Amino acid sequence: MSNSPTALHELGVAALARQLRERKVSALETAQHFLARAQAHAGLGAFLAIDENVTLAQARAADQALATGNSEATLLGVPMAHKDIFVTKDFVSTAGSKMLAGYRSPFDATVVAKLAAQGVVTLGKLNCDEFAMGSANENSAFGNVANPWDQSRTPGGSSGGSAAAVAAGLVPAATGTDTGGSIRQPASFCGVTGIKPTYGRASRYGMVAFASSLDQAGPLARSAEDCALLLSALCGPDLDRDSTSLDVPAEDFTRSLADSLAGLKVGVPQEFFGEGLAPDVRAAVDAALKEYEKLGATLVPISLPRTELSIPVYYIIAPAEASSNLSRFDGVKFGHRAKDYSDLTDMYKKTRAEGFGDEVKRRIMIGAYVLSHGYYDAYYLQAQKIRRMIADDFAQAFKQCDVIAGPVAPTVAWKLGDMSEDPVANYLADIFTLPASLAGLPGMSIPVGFGAGQMPVGMQLIGNYLQESKLLNVAHQFQQATDWHTKRPQGF
Ligand code: GLN
């Protein structure tokens, strides 16, 4: 086979899929190449599980299908790894928690199964914050992930392993989940492209539940084009297994990538450009907005007046749902069980005290509190009402524009340890990603430059419901005109 193996990790999903189809490279050598890279860069802490035998068997199967030349699968032989919040039959699934250390699921999450059905070869499972709670990947029970651009910094979270692995070229792409920003923010911190679709587009079946009314899956990759290919494969109705799955047919999200942006109205929310935004991030985002003007778009000032409220609202609703979802980890059905206990209650207490980390415990307590008799009306119900108003703000905004653009996060990736003792500081950093999550809108992050410490800066694009094609088109056109998404960290 002609391709020099060192070049394989420089290819994106689309290019790799083409080379595989044209049989310029085999699925087996591709898988071997990436497994070797994962091993060589194990120090990043991105992977939680690797099983060569499983991966190579999948790659051989892909090669057989490729040899027939008549498979319709779009991603045959393309390797990927999954955030460890997706359950998988063939790899241990931990959700970043001691509670699930060593846990093996009897089935694959729908997203995993859908990608496998398109021929994806699984390289392993990727580190994440415990039960996806966090913004720095520092809440994982299995250690930090380092940002490949500066290993003393966080890759972001909770899909930190996914973003770091893509940025370092350990995988061409990865899955992530986004409850309040966990695809967009790590994508931004690591200089990769990621998209969270409209709530309900991707099945939540087999995604370890954090906050069910917010959790949504999506891809992280090198480009909008790659994200479009992957999103087309992983979305689609799953009505029997996820009651919030949308009954809209799967779509080919690559179809409108080439559309011109002439006449596009880009809404710029004034609340996203206030005092809290670091000047380096602002400069990169402003420059990207200028680029959009060059591409024929018009910038429209808009207002999302409840942006600030999205923090207290999210940090009531998400913990409330988490406290309910995590009640299943009781030491009885699966996962960790304390060794010594006197009776059933003692077993529950010890199991949960041992199995959960600090942030998870904090959220279970907050959630139980805001749902409790006497506080439900004051906190949970109020939060639900404001959540609706936040969605209404977007509805107003989309009367004036086609997409909304702004920063993903107020700063570039911070130093590991800098905020690990300060949960509120972490929560505040979610301000720009939470509004779209609460409204259930699709959002993405694309690299638009570098800020302090030569760290990547991402721009957030938010679309109206089911407008993923538009978002990807808007992102792709930017990436056709600029080369930020092609920049790679040194040493990888
Ligand atoms: N940082 C947010 C949190 O800690 C979002 C996490 C996520 O999207 N999974 O809850």
Side-chain angles (χ1 to χ4, degrees):
M1 303 241 169
S2 61
N3 211 63
S4 113
T6 48
L8 287 176
H9 60 273
E10 322 226 319
L11 302 175
V13 171
L16 204 48
R18 209 173 306 122
Q19 297 233 352
L20 284 155
R21 217 176 309 119
E22 290 166 3
R23 312 211 65 213
K24 294 201 170 116
V25 62
S26 73
L28 189 66
E29 70 181 295
T30 305
Q32 280 165 335
H33 176 75
F34 282 101
L35 284 172
R37 285 187 63 78
Q39 203 164 29
H41 298 290
L44 283 177
F47 275 88
L48 290 183
I50 286 182
D51 185 334
E52 253 187 60
N53 293 332
V54 169
T55 302
L56 298 182
Q58 290 181 7
R60 286 193 190 95
D63 276 330
Q64 273 171 11
L66 283 161
T68 67
N70 56 16
S71 168
E72 307 242 303
T74 52
L75 300 166
L76 255 184
V78 173
M80 269 181 90
H82 298 296
K83 181 178 184 179
D84 206 18
I85 205 90
F86 294 94
V87 299
T88 43
K89 305 198 282 296
D90 297 329
F91 297 86
V92 160
S93 306
T94 68
S97 182
K98 228 175 108 183
M99 191 59 104
L100 284 173
Y103 173 70
R104 220 168 248 273
S105 162
F107 64 93
D108 280 330
T110 297
V111 162
V112 170
K114 276 180 157 293
L115 288 166
Q118 292 301 331
V120 163
V121 170
T122 307
L123 291 168
K125 303 296 285 292
L126 297 164
N127 206 344
C128 59
D129 281 304
E130 185 173 8
F131 294 105
M133 299 177 190
S135 310
N137 217 113
E138 290 180 302
N139 298 331
S140 166
F142 307 106
N144 291 335
V145 177
N147 190 316
W149 291 92
D150 172 352
Q151 296 195 39
S152 70
R153 292 180 194 255
T154 170
S158 64
S159 312
S162 305
V166 174
L170 312 189
V171 296
T175 52
T177 61
D178 191 310
T179 303
S182 282
I183 289 174
R184 289 161 286 162
Q185 186 255 27
S188 170
F189 281 13
C190 290
V192 303
T193 302
I195 181 165
K196 168 199 108 73
T198 306
Y199 179 79
R201 269 276 202 196
S203 171
R204 287 185 299 107
Y205 184 70
M207 255 166 65
V208 177
F210 161 15
S212 307
S213 76
L214 294 152
D215 297 344
Q216 197 51 205
L220 293 98
R222 259 89 178 278
S223 67
E225 183 189 11
D226 287 357
C227 282
L229 270 169
L230 296 166
L231 199 65
S232 307
L234 67 82
C235 283
D238 194 19
L239 306 175
D240 295 339
R241 294 186 293 188
D242 172 2
S243 61
T244 58
S245 169
L246 285 175
D247 195 4
V248 289
E251 223 176 286
D252 176 0
F253 295 111
T254 61
R255 253 193 326 209
S256 16
L257 287 176
D259 291 1
S260 151
L261 300 190
L264 181 84
K265 289 195 195 125
V266 177
V268 183
Q270 62 180 75
E271 293 78 4
F272 281 36
F273 292 83
E275 252 172 54
L277 182 63
D280 56 323
V281 174
R282 187 184 179 130
V285 173
D286 280 344
L289 290 172
K290 288 222 171 68
E291 187 65 41
Y292 273 111
E293 287 186 305
K294 279 197 223 151
L295 291 169
T298 315
L299 305 182
V300 183
I302 58 160
S303 175
L304 295 169
R306 277 107 174 170
T307 297
E308 242 174 55
L309 290 178
S310 66
I311 298 173
V313 167
Y314 173 87
Y315 281 100
I316 287 170
I317 292 174
E321 295 184 17
S323 73
S324 166
N325 272 326
L326 271 55
S327 63
R328 74 192 57 172
F329 300 104
D330 58 2
V332 177
K333 294 184 282 294
F334 37 62
H336 177 71
R337 179 184 297 172
K339 279 210 176 59
D340 304 307
Y341 49 87
S342 52
D343 57 16
L344 183 64
T345 309
D346 192 42
M347 189 279 280
Y348 287 157
K349 280 189 183 161
K350 286 192 175 134
T351 294
R352 290 167 67 84
E354 291 168 10
F356 291 139
D358 288 350
E359 183 61 23
V360 173
K361 286 177 185 159
R362 185 176 297 120
R363 297 203 190 189
I364 291 173
M365 287 189 279
I366 294 171
Y369 179 81
V370 299
L371 287 174
S372 63
H373 183 73
Y375 293 106
Y376 179 92
D377 289 350
Y379 293 106
Y380 185 73
L381 204 61
Q382 281 297 98
Q384 289 290 23
K385 288 180 183 166
I386 302 171
R387 180 180 190 176
R388 163 52 57 131
M389 293 162 101
I390 290 169
D392 289 345
D393 288 347
F394 278 109
Q396 287 304 319
F398 281 121
K399 287 181 184 158
Q400 297 164 260
C401 61
D402 305 304
V403 296
I404 294 172
V408 175
T411 64
V412 296
W414 55 86
K415 295 268 185 191
L416 286 163
D418 263 11
M419 305 224 290
S420 52
E421 299 306 318
D422 188 351
V424 176
N426 279 274
Y427 301 169
L428 293 174
D430 292 340
I431 183 158
F432 303 134
T433 50
L434 297 178
S437 295
L438 289 164
L441 292 165
M444 69 184 297
S445 174
I446 54 171
V448 294
F450 293 88
Q454 284 310 301
M455 295 305 289
V457 175
M459 177 156 89
Q460 182 174 206
L461 296 167
I462 301 170
N464 211 341
Y465 298 107
L466 302 177
Q467 295 290 304
E468 290 83 1
S469 285
K470 173 57 67 187
L471 274 189
L472 289 158
N473 161 228
V474 169
H476 179 69
Q477 289 305 310
F478 181 86
Q479 294 184 339
Q480 294 295 100
T482 61
D483 63 357
W484 298 114
H485 66 294
T486 65
K487 307 277 188 223
R488 300 281 171 263
Q490 254 175 29
F492 296 94

